[in-house]
Amino acid sequence: MSDIALDGFRFGMLLASGIVLSAFVFVKFATYAKDPAKQRQVHPVATLSMTAFLIAMFPLLVRKIGAVQVPPLEEQFYLAFGAALMLLGVRLHIAGKLEIGSHWSDQIEAAAGQSFVSSGVYSLTRHPMYSSLIMWILGAALAFVNPLVFGLVTVLFVPMMLARARAEEKLLAENVEDPAAYEIYRQRTNIMIPRFGGLPAFALRVVGILVYGFFIGNFTGTNFTPAGIVFLVVMHLALGFTILPEKAAFSYKSKTGMMVLVWFLTMLWQPIYYLHWFFLLMYVYGLFFNCPCMFAYEKYHGCPCFGWMKRACGLERR
């Protein structure tokens, strides 16, 4: 696919998905009715400020400000993965707006004895609409191979969403009909990162294996690009935080650190690269069995290997 065709597809995806998101926001504003019985708090992070931030990212993406050059095959992979993430974000946003119904508001509102939504996409995360916007713009940054936008979203937009979400929950906790049930829901469900189990979790793990295999198969040794390793690290950490149960999460988080170490050591000695294939086999093994390290982890309530390394380096807390 030519560069012009790739740019056209990127721009089309960005524009079309942005229009869909805007349309659903407009519908919610059109059908929103203020209730004088509700408590209302004005928060700086509202629809206008969220929209302003996202619009500010458009020229950076379209004009390729902050974008990096990567091999053609890797670029096409980022485009496909980013487009899928954008579509998933749009799907999650639409479902969130439909399922929240009349509870939606531009500012923070709650009525005495108010119920809360915990089904559908709200069983995956407590704030699917905010999660979806993060997924959408991060997907766009990935599709455009733009680390600058990715970084701005991470250090600015994500904290904005978290601040708004926490302020909403504080007011809702003071007014919710069943505080105990709401607290249980908060403990079981992540504030922003969706958590998956069962078949969806298995599918995500398979995708992670295929992506990892793609990179280590096509970008061997010293030409394993920095953009590639950053993407793999982000993806595997995301899997660690989103996949149930926690055993799988620990496995992904720890192996992510090993992945980075192997990548750096490969720069010094080429054959170390082949350890990536060993890690890939460990991920395949983990599809069907618990990592053997989990037995030691459960017995010692931590990783004995990392504990030994901390003591050897003098980092163990006394």
Side-chain angles (χ1 to χ4, degrees):
M1 188 179 293
S2 67
D3 290 342
I4 296 177
L6 286 176
D7 289 341
F9 181 78
R10 290 189 188 99
F11 180 75
M13 276 288 302
L14 186 66
L15 184 62
S17 57
I19 289 174
V20 171
L21 290 174
S22 300
F24 272 84
V25 171
F26 177 79
V27 170
K28 274 299 183 182
F29 265 111
T31 57
Y32 167 68
K34 290 185 179 180
D35 186 346
K38 288 184 176 181
Q39 291 188 47
R40 188 169 188 266
Q41 294 180 0
V42 177
H43 196 275
V45 180
T47 303
L48 182 60
S49 54
M50 296 178 202
T51 303
F53 180 92
L54 294 176
I55 290 177
M57 297 299 101
F58 270 59
L60 300 181
L61 293 169
V62 175
R63 295 182 178 275
K64 299 183 179 181
I65 301 173
V68 297
Q69 293 290 327
V70 294
L73 185 62
E74 189 174 347
E75 182 181 12
Q76 293 179 25
F77 178 83
Y78 288 146
L79 175 57
F81 207 89
L85 193 59
M86 292 174 72
L87 291 175
L88 183 60
V90 171
R91 172 69 180 85
L92 188 66
H93 194 83
I94 293 172
K97 273 191 163 51
L98 292 176
E99 291 172 10
I100 200 172
S102 60
H103 290 312
W104 182 90
S105 63
D106 178 42
Q107 289 294 338
I108 301 173
E109 296 183 358
Q114 180 173 314
S115 60
F116 64 95
V117 182
S118 60
S119 58
V121 294
Y122 285 87
S123 66
L124 303 177
T125 171
R126 305 201 299 268
H127 298 273
M129 286 186 287
Y130 299 159
S131 300
S132 66
L133 293 178
I134 294 171
M135 291 169 62
W136 177 72
I137 191 61
L138 287 180
L142 190 60
F144 282 81
V145 199
N146 195 314
L148 176 60
V149 172
F150 198 98
L152 289 173
V153 171
T154 302
V155 301
L156 295 178
F157 193 64
V158 172
M160 285 172 56
M161 297 294 97
L162 285 172
R164 168 64 186 242
R166 288 179 178 131
E168 285 183 4
E169 292 190 0
K170 183 176 184 297
L171 184 62
L172 181 57
E174 296 170 353
N175 292 274
V176 72
E177 180 182 16
D178 189 342
Y182 182 60
E183 183 58 30
I184 292 173
Y185 168 67
R186 291 178 65 182
Q187 291 177 2
R188 291 180 176 177
T189 314
N190 282 343
I191 186 171
M192 204 72 74
I193 302 175
R195 301 186 75 186
F196 300 93
L199 185 59
F202 184 84
L204 285 173
R205 295 169 78 176
V206 170
V207 169
I209 289 170
L210 294 175
V211 172
Y212 192 21
F214 169 85
F215 272 90
I216 62 180
N218 288 279
F219 306 99
T220 59
T222 55
N223 72 336
F224 205 141
T225 65
I229 193 65
V230 169
F231 171 71
L232 287 175
V233 167
V234 172
M235 183 188 72
H236 282 84
L237 283 178
L239 289 173
F241 283 106
T242 57
I243 291 177
L244 297 172
E246 289 298 330
K247 290 180 181 179
F250 168 79
S251 180
Y252 273 101
K253 294 171 189 174
S254 62
K255 289 186 181 65
T256 302
M258 298 177 192
M259 186 189 303
V260 175
L261 179 62
V262 167
W263 181 73
F264 276 111
L265 292 177
T266 299
M267 302 298 105
L268 302 176
W269 191 43
Q270 173 77 19
I272 295 178
Y273 154 80
Y274 293 101
L275 281 175
H276 281 294
W277 291 103
F278 174 70
F279 291 158
L280 185 66
L281 290 175
M282 292 177 71
Y283 283 129
V284 174
Y285 176 89
L287 285 174
F288 309 100
F289 309 100
N290 283 333
C291 176
C293 294
M294 292 302 105
F295 298 108
Y297 187 83
E298 289 180 342
K299 180 178 179 179
Y300 296 101
H301 303 289
C303 177
C305 296
F306 282 111
W308 178 84
M309 290 175 63
K310 286 182 179 179
R311 288 191 296 273
C313 297
L315 299 176
E316 188 75 32
R317 290 183 179 180
R318 300 184 184 277

